[in-house]
Amino acid sequence: MIKIKAIKAFTDNYIWLVTTNEGSLVIDPGESKPVIDYLKNEDIFLDNILITHHHFDHTGGLSGLIKHNKNISVIGPNNHIEEIKTRVKGDDCINVIGLEFIVISVPGHTLDHIAFYCENGGDPILFCGDTMFAGGCGRIFEGTYDQMYKSLMKLKNLPSNTKVYCAHEYTEQNLNFANCVEPLNKDIVARLKKVSNQRELNKITLPSSIGEELKTNPFLRCDKKNIRESIFNKYNIEGNDTEIFEAVRNWKDTF
Ligand SMILES: [Zn+2]
């Protein structure tokens, strides 16, 4: 039986805690204190950490958690973060607490970025860090637009019932933007209404699903007529899907 819980960190980060009858893991602990407090409260012993990319708000809690359990396993990409003990790359398969994760290489936000996909724990699950958000995608800091677009296409092709666990609560802002890019998309309007209500009550809007993202995330919809028209009207750009993606990403950066 798999349980997944969000632990809040900083202002809008989520550290995902996964437990099965074989143990526990967290993904992207940007801070150690909220994790340690939660574990203590729930009487959970933490065995494993997965890291998606090197940014501090995803790795800053490593040293604190290692101090707590010197034998903890830390799995992540090949980068400069010394605390990562097991380095993995795209297409690797790892078994952690009875869950088989396929590593997906998703460069763009950073060059080292990886995502973890698992389908042996019930509904498929995806931990995608800062690559895809509910209704949006990460900023492109290190990679190219082409790399990021190809990374998002890999995630887009996962089964539509895949539950998407991203690392930030950005859904409402993202859907406000999506609504501006595609004002006639009723799925976006309906989702924005639902999400705004959730946020008013300070509720989490995650996980999302690939199916939901396909209908409402503009970055997965760059091949759609509505978005191509919107980009043509705003920037006078016509082009291939990657060029449309670049224009949508630049629009979002100044939104
Ligand atoms: Zn990041």
Side-chain angles (χ1 to χ4, degrees):
M1 174 72 178
I2 179 171
K3 274 196 215 163
I4 305 178
K5 164 82 193 168
I7 300 172
K8 286 185 184 180
F10 305 109
T11 51
D12 51 30
N13 281 67
Y14 291 125
I15 301 167
W16 296 104
L17 168 69
V18 184
T19 53
T20 68
N21 50 12
E22 294 188 32
S24 64
L25 66 87
V26 288
I27 293 125
D28 287 354
E31 288 186 288
S32 59
K33 188 173 182 308
V35 176
I36 290 167
D37 289 349
Y38 187 87
L39 296 171
K40 235 182 229 166
N41 256 336
E42 301 285 318
D43 203 19
I44 295 169
F45 183 79
L46 184 65
D47 312 293
N48 304 276
I49 300 172
L50 304 184
I51 297 291
T52 64
H53 66 295
H54 68 81
H55 282 160
F56 182 75
D57 63 324
H58 297 248
T59 56
L62 279 173
S63 58
L65 292 173
I66 291 168
K67 245 181 238 162
H68 220 67
N69 170 10
K70 288 195 174 52
N71 296 318
I72 200 162
S73 134
V74 186
I75 300 168
N78 195 7
N79 58 22
H80 63 274
I81 304 290
E82 284 174 10
E83 289 94 342
I84 296 174
K85 292 173 201 160
T86 306
R87 308 276 175 181
V88 291
K89 58 183 190 320
D91 298 330
D92 282 356
C93 199
I94 49 168
N95 193 313
V96 190
I97 61 170
L99 300 173
E100 280 165 27
F101 287 99
I102 296 165
V103 178
I104 306 174
S105 169
V106 285
H109 175 70
T110 62
L111 288 174
D112 67 334
H113 208 309
I114 53 175
F116 297 94
Y117 172 73
C118 165
E119 49 185 20
N120 78 323
D123 273 350
I125 51 177
L126 172 73
F127 297 97
C128 54
D130 287 352
T131 295
M132 180 165 68
F133 295 122
C137 76
R139 281 177 189 263
I140 297 164
F141 288 123
E142 295 176 7
T144 62
Y145 290 94
D146 190 47
Q147 275 177 323
M148 186 66 160
Y149 189 67
K150 284 182 178 140
S151 295
L152 289 169
M153 290 306 100
K154 289 183 193 174
L155 304 184
K156 177 179 172 172
N157 286 325
L158 295 173
S160 65
N161 65 335
T162 304
K163 288 186 178 162
V164 177
Y165 295 86
C166 53
H168 288 274
E169 181 60 66
Y170 290 159
T171 318
E172 191 175 12
Q173 302 97 298
N174 285 339
L175 291 173
N176 273 320
F177 173 70
N179 186 227
C180 183
V181 177
E182 260 191 292
L184 300 177
N185 182 326
K186 288 188 180 120
D187 294 315
I188 292 174
V189 173
R191 191 178 182 192
L192 178 57
K193 195 174 167 210
K194 182 179 133 198
V195 161
S196 301
N197 288 336
Q198 287 172 316
R199 292 311 296 152
E200 219 154 89
L201 301 168
N202 204 22
K203 282 189 185 159
I204 183 167
T205 62
L206 303 174
S208 168
S209 71
I210 293 292
E212 215 172 4
E213 294 311 313
L214 289 174
K215 288 192 274 183
T216 57
N217 189 326
F219 299 100
L220 301 187
R221 298 173 56 77
C222 295
D223 56 338
K224 299 281 185 267
K225 194 168 153 267
N226 282 351
I227 295 205
R228 300 184 66 88
E229 277 175 9
S230 211
I231 291 300
F232 183 73
N233 291 338
K234 186 166 175 74
Y235 294 112
N236 205 19
I237 289 175
E238 287 179 294
N240 61 30
D241 294 349
T242 310
E243 286 160 334
I244 301 297
F245 168 73
E246 180 172 348
V248 178
R249 186 59 259 182
N250 287 332
W251 186 356
K252 175 69 169 60
D253 286 344
T254 56
F255 184 69

